[in-house]
Amino acid sequence: MKQSEIKELSVAELQEKLSETKKSYSDLKMAHAISPLDNPIQLRSVRRDVARLATELTKRELQ
């Protein structure tokens, strides 16, 4: 997910997307622990998406 896409979302949409992405990340981590993923770089990209969403939420709360 790109930063430009994140900026267009409302606060409620950001919170929903953040929870979905966190769940996706935990599911990927669990799957990777059981058997290696075909593309382990997925973990990094999803983790960074979580960080982008959380950063944007914090930025909006501070304004």
Side-chain angles (χ1 to χ4, degrees):
M1 182 165 234
K2 293 185 179 181
Q3 190 66 26
S4 59
E5 296 171 354
I6 293 173
K7 287 183 179 185
E8 295 173 0
L9 299 175
S10 70
V11 175
E13 291 172 330
L14 279 173
Q15 290 171 340
E16 182 182 331
K17 194 76 167 165
L18 180 61
S19 65
E20 289 173 6
T21 310
K22 280 184 178 181
K23 174 146 179 33
S24 170
Y25 179 64
S26 64
D27 291 345
L28 275 174
K29 271 180 57 174
M30 187 64 78
H32 187 62
I34 294 170
S35 65
L37 294 174
D38 292 334
N39 185 8
I41 302 301
Q42 276 181 296
L43 288 170
R44 182 182 0 169
S45 65
V46 174
R47 186 176 64 237
R48 288 180 178 178
D49 285 343
V50 169
R52 283 187 194 103
L53 290 164
T55 301
E56 185 64 27
L57 266 176
T58 304
K59 187 172 119 181
R60 291 186 187 187
E61 287 173 1
L62 293 175
Q63 285 180 346

